[in-house]
């Protein structure tokens, strides 16, 4: 009897543990039982759909065409808030989209740091943006800018990288630099990021269990906000469309973001060469010195080692600086016209 009980437990317990570690299947938009499709979408070659939003002047009247890549726990509605006046003055068309798994874009179960860059290129082709376009990305979307510079630089007219997430395991980062950045995180974020890198199969369970604190970024911990961020955060934290962002399941968007962004890359941004060596464009890197969500030290080091990057450090700003009044226009004019931001 005892032997049979032990045998039953030996079979049952591993199966139970395995079940707890597995994320639920995503609730695909437009599928039976899934959320409805309410936005405009385009289909990629592999059959997935990307939802997108156009703003600014009409595409056929635009002098400048910009694709914006949103950050963590965001969607197409979180495009850079360029003023209508500047968009009209300069002739700016902005295209934002839901990254795979967010809001109304289909998840990509095979996502990598390269696949999102190819998604951006295919989106541009589907919407007929022409041979070259400008690119901007914020936070996790800022990290994606490095992938786009690696894989689709021939399509880019200029790039703005805003408060980018960094991967502490990128090759070429000195240990003192990566450790300094690493230690700027809260303890629970160190663990969440470590799991994403070393044990990606555990990421869903780690961030959904209730035994101990998981990612403070997912939980919107106010300890991560600088003084300036505390003033800006209401614009971000109380978005009316927030329930739509994670509607397909947190694993398909947030957790996959973590396993890709903090995963094992086969290359490093430090290996990149100037994509605009002929002088036809620029790469601008912006970071707030008071950023408590994404440590500024990695951006500082990258800008030192990549002399072709135009670095803008904002001494009093935190992570949410692109949403500060007038900042979006400053970023865009710097990218498109080469304007220098006012000195703080």
């Amino acid at each position: 009897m005892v032997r049979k009980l032990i045998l039953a437990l030996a079979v049952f317990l591993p199966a139970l543990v395995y079940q707890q570690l597995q994320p639920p299947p995503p609730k695909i938009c437009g599928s039976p039982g899934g959320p409805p499709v309410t936005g405009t979408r385009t289909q990629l070659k592999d059959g997935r759909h990307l939802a997108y939003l156009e703003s600014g002047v009409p595409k056929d009247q635009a002098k400048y065409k910009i694709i914006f890549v949103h950050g963590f726990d965001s969607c197409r509605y979180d495009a850079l808030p360029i003023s209508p006046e500047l968009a009209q003055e300069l002739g700016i068309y902005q295209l934002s989209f839901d990254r795979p798994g967010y809001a109304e874009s289909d998840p990509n179960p095979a996502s990598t740091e390269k696949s999102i860059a190819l998604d951006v290129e295919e989106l541009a082709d589907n919407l007929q943006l022409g041979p070259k376009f400008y690119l901007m990305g914020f936070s996790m979307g800022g990290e994606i800018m490095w992938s786009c510079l690696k894989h689709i630089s021939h399509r880019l007219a200029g790039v703005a990288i805003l408060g980018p997430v960094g991967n502490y395991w990128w090759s070429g980062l000195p240990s003192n630099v990566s450790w300094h950045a690493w230690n700027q995180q809260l303890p629970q974020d160190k663990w969440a990021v470590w799991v994403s890198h070393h044990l990606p199969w555990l990421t869903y369970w780690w961030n959904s269990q209730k035994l101990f604190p998981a990612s403070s970024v997912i939980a919107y911990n106010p300890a991560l906000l600088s003084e300036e961020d505390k003033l800006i955060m209401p614009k971000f934290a109380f978005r009316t469309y927030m329930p739509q962002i994670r509607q397909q399941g947190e694993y398909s968007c947030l957790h996959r973001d973590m396993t890709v962004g903090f995963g094992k890359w086969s290359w490093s941004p430090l290996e990149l060469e100037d994509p605009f060596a002929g002088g036809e464009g620029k790469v601008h890197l912006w970071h707030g010195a008071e950023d408590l969500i994404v440590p500024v030290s990695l951006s500082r080091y990258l800008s030192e080692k990549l002399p072709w990057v135009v670095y803008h450090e904002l001494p009093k700003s935190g992570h949410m600086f692109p949403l500060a009044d007038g900042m979006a226009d400053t970023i865009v004019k710097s990218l498109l016209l080469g304007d220098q931001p006012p000195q703080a």
Side-chain angles (χ1 to χ4, degrees):
M1 186 67 169
V2 174
R3 183 177 298 177
K4 289 182 178 179
L5 179 60
I6 293 174
L7 181 60
L9 289 174
V11 173
F12 175 73
L13 289 179
L16 181 62
V17 170
Y18 177 80
Q19 184 179 26
Q20 292 296 315
L21 297 180
Q22 297 306 301
K27 300 175 182 178
I28 307 294
C29 287
S31 66
V37 175
T38 64
T40 307
R41 306 203 303 177
T42 185
Q43 188 170 19
L44 305 180
K45 294 175 183 176
D46 64 4
R48 289 182 295 116
H49 296 85
L50 293 181
Y52 64 89
L53 181 69
E54 299 170 291
S55 59
V57 303
K59 182 170 50 183
D60 58 358
Q61 299 175 22
K63 181 178 180 181
Y64 301 104
K65 298 171 184 176
I66 301 173
I67 296 180
F68 181 80
V69 183
H70 68 74
F72 192 73
D73 206 9
S74 302
C75 70
R76 65 190 184 278
Y77 295 121
D78 295 305
L80 195 69
I82 303 169
S83 70
E85 295 78 13
L86 185 67
Q88 289 294 326
E89 176 188 346
L90 299 185
I92 298 171
Y93 162 90
Q94 183 177 195
L95 173 65
S96 57
F97 68 102
D98 296 335
R99 292 196 284 110
Y102 280 101
E104 296 187 24
S105 284
D106 295 337
N108 182 1
S111 61
T112 65
E113 56 77 23
K114 182 177 181 178
S115 67
I116 183 60
L118 300 183
D119 283 353
V120 168
E121 182 177 34
E122 193 170 349
L123 175 67
D125 289 339
N126 284 6
L127 271 71
Q128 301 179 331
L129 297 194
K132 292 206 172 189
F133 49 87
Y134 290 86
L135 198 57
M136 300 187 297
F138 171 50
S139 194
M140 192 66 81
E143 184 187 48
I144 290 168
M145 298 300 95
W146 299 118
S147 294
C148 292
L149 287 166
K150 166 77 172 176
H151 300 295
I152 62 168
S153 62
H154 60 290
R155 300 297 304 275
L156 306 178
V159 178
I161 308 173
L162 313 176
V165 167
N167 188 312
Y168 304 97
W169 295 272
W170 278 332
S171 61
L173 281 178
S175 58
N176 64 313
V177 172
S178 57
W179 271 110
H180 179 268
W182 177 262
N183 287 319
Q184 302 306 303
Q185 303 177 98
L186 295 178
Q188 62 260 44
D189 292 325
K190 292 179 184 180
W191 278 108
V193 170
W194 188 91
V195 167
S196 298
H197 181 80
H198 293 287
L199 304 171
W201 51 270
L202 195 60
T203 302
Y204 165 74
W205 178 84
W206 189 272
N207 289 286
S208 57
Q209 53 73 37
K210 307 300 180 185
L211 300 176
F212 41 80
S215 168
S216 63
V217 179
I218 293 178
Y220 283 82
N221 188 334
L224 294 173
L225 300 179
S226 70
E227 291 304 312
E228 183 181 275
D229 283 346
K230 291 175 184 177
L231 300 176
I232 298 173
M233 197 60 180
K235 298 180 181 180
F236 187 79
F238 302 107
R239 297 164 289 169
T240 58
Y241 48 85
M242 283 186 69
Q244 189 182 95
I245 293 174
R246 307 183 188 182
Q247 65 184 350
Q248 298 186 84
E250 292 189 7
Y251 177 77
S252 296
C253 51
L254 306 184
H255 304 160
R256 195 172 292 280
D257 245 5
M258 296 174 71
T259 57
V260 173
F262 298 118
K264 297 177 181 179
W265 292 32
S266 63
W267 60 279
S268 165
L270 289 163
E271 302 167 6
L272 294 174
E273 297 181 355
D274 186 357
F276 304 117
E280 67 277 14
K282 291 289 185 182
V283 176
H284 292 260
L285 171 58
W286 298 75
H287 215 122
E290 300 298 318
D291 193 334
L292 302 179
I293 298 176
V294 177
V296 68
S297 51
L298 292 186
S299 285
R300 284 176 182 163
Y301 186 79
L302 286 166
S303 67
E304 291 171 3
K305 296 302 178 181
L306 301 175
W308 42 270
V309 169
V310 182
Y311 184 53
H312 310 268
E313 186 167 312
L314 307 172
K316 298 179 181 179
S317 296
H319 190 63
M320 308 304 294
F321 69 86
L323 299 182
D325 292 342
M327 196 64 216
D329 285 6
T330 298
I331 292 168
V332 168
K333 286 191 286 186
S334 177
L335 175 64
L336 303 182
L337 306 177
D339 288 4
Q340 292 297 314
Q343 296 297 312

